[in-house]
Structures are given as C-alpha cells and as structure tokens.
Amino acid sequence: MMLTTNEKIIKLWQVSQRSVKTVSTNMHSEVRMRTRIPEHTTSPSLRLPTLTPVKNVVMANSKRVFASGHIHHINSLSLCPDQEHYLSADDLRINLWNLSVTDEVFQIVDLQPSDLEQLSEIITTCEAHPVNSSLFAYATTRGSVRLIDTRQRALHDSPALNFDTPSAQDNFFSEVMHHIGSIKFLKDKTSDQFVTRDYFSVKLWDVRQPQKPIRSISVHEHLRPRLLELYENEALFDRFKLVTSASGSHFLTGSYNNVFHIYDSNGTVDTAIEASRSLPKRGRRSSKRTRNLMQHSHIDFNKKIIHCDWHPTEDTIAIATLSNLFIYSAIGSSSSSSK
C-alpha cells in the first residue's frame, strides 16, 4: 500500500506486480495450412491456444480517496506505527486520519489565529514517532520543533516539548535560514533522538535534552558568505529532504552539483557521492575536508538533489535529480547504482 498526495487530496493506492500474458499461436490455422484440411472438416490434432507469460509489470490501483481535510496545500504525510492511522500537515493545521475512514478526520493542531496579520509562523513538516503512536513532531519556519503527545488533550495548542534552534544573530534572512524542511526520528528501540535539516546544517536532537541540539553537522556553511546571491537566485528557498537508515546509524541528505551526503550519527564521517550516469564518484572523508573541497569548487545551483529516500529494512537508497532516478544498494562495503 502507498499514500500519496497532491495539493489537497490524499489517496491510498494498492501496488502490485502482475504478469502480462499473450496468446500463443493458434494451432487451428497451423494444422490446416500444413495438412491442407478443408474448412468444413474437423482436425483430429486441433489444440486450443494457450497463454504465455511475457513480462511482469507493476500496477497501482486507487483504493481510497481522502478529500476535504485541508484548506491549504499539504506539505507532508506520515504513517503512524500502528499502521492504522496517519498524519497530514498543511501550512496551519495537522490532521489525524484512519486509513479505513475517508469521511472523518480529527484536527489535532491548529496554528491559524483569529487575525491572519498576527500569524508569525507556519508548519513546514510533521513526522510520526516510529514506536509510540501517541507521539509526533512538527517543525515550523522559525526553526522550532514541537513534540506532541496526543494523550494530553484533543487540540494541541501547546506542545509537550519545544526544541528551538539557538540563533547567534537575527537579520533579514534569519527566518529563511532557520526554516526546517525535514525531520526524522532515528529508528532504534526507543527513538529518543531525531534529526532536522535546515538550509545550512543537519542537527541531531535528544528529547531528553530539548535546550539545544546535541550535534550540528554543517552541509552548506561554505555558502553563508553568499547569502545575497542565494536569495536573489532563490536557492536559499530550496528545501532538502533528510532520511535515516533502518538502524538509525546514518542519515542522508542532498546538496548541489548532484551530490548527496551520508553522515554517521556522530557526524565525524561524510560520504559524498555524485549521482551521475557514469560510475559513482564517492569520497569518504571528514566533514571538514569535504567542506573545504566544496568551498573551492564551482557550484551549479540548478543541479541539486532535493528528494531522497532510504529503504525501511535494507541499505538501499533512492536519489532523484532533475531528470533521473538513481538507486544505490550497498554490497559489502561498496555501492551499486541503477537508473
């Protein structure tokens, strides 16, 4: 099963693999041509046509449509660990759905003020806890992450825990710089840690220490002196996705020049790979060396990896560039790719 969404409508699909078959040669005509049997007589060796498998195809059938749950554009979907409910978020609201019910939805977060001029932040993404169905987190444009416990109340106007990114200075670009585009819980036994991705960095948080991130990994720090250029060419508004491995020991995010980075949870090792049709160019190096290398190279802001995903149980990742989809699978200590 697969959940998808466009701007305001969510669909549940059933994905299956089916075998396409074709009819084999009609033996009736072959026998008549070979033995010259008249049309009005019956052939003693007449056989019925048979179906022969040709290929397997993947098919998707729409099973349910969840509409009328959002006024604003949906920015994220997240399946709850009970496999019966899921979350959907738009700019101002987060809804809780049951996969079996299409005409009923529970609104659990509402940031819309009575006067829209008082609106100070919007929701950028939400993520269900991978172990506890009562917990989920959402991020805002102010760089805040809020952990919600649905057992406390029906409408959550205040979070159970609030995680704010410390800011050294506020300027014209502050809100865009702190905008969190992705949040993922690490998939271990307790899932007490999660990672967030803003434009310049990946931050690792612990729910037991909400005051500040326990680790910050620089991704685009070398671009900070070029803020004005990034704003003018709208690259500063790029929202790079972040995904974690099945074990929670590594996480993956994209960058420019069609390069993506795989970091270990300690933030000490950065495996940078260029997605291309040729053999993958991979470099396993420290984060500091990678940053220095990127700083002195030409950056093509049109070649960027925004979307990526990690297989839920295997060391297989999917990378989307502008016009290609790359699949990388770990084989021992090496990687293979396919387009």
Side-chain angles (χ1 to χ4, degrees):
M1 307 296 281
M2 178 176 61
L3 274 174
T4 64
T5 183
N6 55 17
E7 294 179 349
K8 298 179 182 179
I9 298 178
I10 304 168
K11 292 184 179 182
L12 179 66
W13 301 80
Q14 182 180 33
V15 182
S16 60
Q17 182 171 287
R18 297 183 182 180
S19 177
V20 176
K21 299 180 179 180
T22 184
V23 179
S24 62
T25 305
N26 192 327
M27 299 303 298
H28 177 80
S29 60
E30 279 193 357
V31 170
R32 291 191 178 278
M33 291 181 63
R34 186 170 59 249
T35 60
R36 300 184 180 275
I37 299 176
E39 290 290 335
H40 62 276
T41 61
T42 303
S43 171
S45 60
L46 178 64
R47 289 189 298 171
L48 295 176
T50 58
L51 295 176
T52 304
V54 177
K55 61 180 179 179
N56 293 327
V57 295
V58 177
M59 303 185 67
N61 297 320
S62 178
K63 305 298 290 186
R64 296 184 183 93
V65 177
F66 304 86
S68 305
H70 290 273
I71 300 176
H72 307 283
H73 291 181
I74 299 172
N75 55 45
S76 57
L77 299 174
S78 184
L79 184 66
C80 297
D82 59 10
Q83 303 295 306
E84 296 180 358
H85 300 83
Y86 72 92
L87 302 170
S88 62
D90 61 27
D91 291 345
L92 297 177
R93 295 183 176 92
I94 298 177
N95 292 336
L96 176 65
W97 301 79
N98 188 305
L99 285 170
S100 303
V101 182
T102 61
D103 57 352
E104 187 177 32
V105 59
F106 299 95
Q107 188 179 107
I108 53 179
V109 174
D110 187 0
L111 297 187
Q112 182 168 336
S114 55
D115 185 359
L116 287 178
E117 293 184 357
Q118 300 176 356
L119 184 65
S120 60
E121 60 182 347
I122 62 175
I123 299 170
T124 59
T125 185
C126 74
E127 181 73 10
H129 194 276
V131 178
N132 192 334
S133 297
S134 302
L135 298 177
F136 72 92
Y138 71 91
T140 70
T141 52
R142 298 178 64 180
S144 297
V145 177
R146 286 155 192 175
L147 183 67
I148 302 295
D149 190 340
T150 56
R151 295 168 294 188
Q152 292 182 342
R153 60 180 67 88
L155 184 62
H156 299 271
D157 51 356
S158 60
L161 286 174
N162 195 62
F163 305 82
D164 287 319
T165 302
S167 177
Q169 59 179 357
D170 291 328
N171 53 43
F172 177 76
F173 305 105
S174 294
E175 182 171 327
V176 183
M177 291 162 48
H178 296 154
H179 181 119
I180 295 176
S182 188
I183 174 173
K184 292 292 180 181
F185 286 94
L186 297 188
K187 302 171 185 177
D188 52 22
K189 293 182 178 179
T190 59
S191 297
D192 288 332
Q193 295 182 341
F194 62 90
V195 285
T196 60
R197 172 68 202 269
D198 55 39
Y199 185 81
F200 287 107
S201 63
V202 173
K203 293 181 175 63
L204 177 63
W205 299 81
D206 194 308
V207 297
R208 297 159 294 188
Q209 184 182 326
Q211 295 82 10
K212 61 179 181 179
I214 60 176
R215 192 167 295 108
S216 181
I217 304 171
S218 174
V219 182
H220 289 157
E221 190 64 31
H222 55 283
L223 296 177
R224 195 176 290 272
R226 304 168 63 175
L227 277 176
L228 183 58
E229 177 188 353
L230 295 173
Y231 180 79
E232 291 177 345
N233 63 17
E234 298 185 349
L236 193 59
F237 298 94
D238 290 334
R239 304 297 171 227
F240 295 93
K241 297 300 180 183
L242 174 73
V243 293
T244 61
S245 63
S247 63
S249 60
H250 292 81
F251 33 90
L252 160 72
T253 190
S255 183
Y256 296 108
N257 290 347
N258 281 346
V259 170
F260 61 92
H261 300 265
I262 301 177
Y263 301 96
D264 67 336
S265 57
N266 295 322
T268 56
V269 177
D270 172 11
T271 303
I273 302 176
E274 179 185 359
S276 66
R277 291 182 175 271
S278 58
L279 290 176
K281 298 178 181 179
R282 186 180 67 168
R284 191 183 181 98
R285 54 181 73 90
S286 67
S287 297
K288 182 177 180 181
R289 185 178 175 186
T290 302
R291 188 164 55 250
N292 292 337
L293 179 65
M294 292 286 291
Q295 188 172 5
H296 297 289
S297 62
H298 172 70
I299 298 177
D300 188 343
F301 292 105
N302 294 318
K303 293 182 178 180
K304 52 192 173 185
I305 295 176
I306 300 292
H307 301 286
C308 55
D309 207 352
W310 203 306
H311 194 279
T313 58
E314 302 175 3
D315 283 334
T316 301
I317 58 177
I319 305 295
T321 61
L322 184 63
S323 58
N324 293 285
L325 175 65
F326 295 85
I327 306 295
Y328 292 86
S329 298
I331 303 176
S333 60
S334 61
S335 297
S336 63
S337 67
S338 62
K339 283 84 71 179

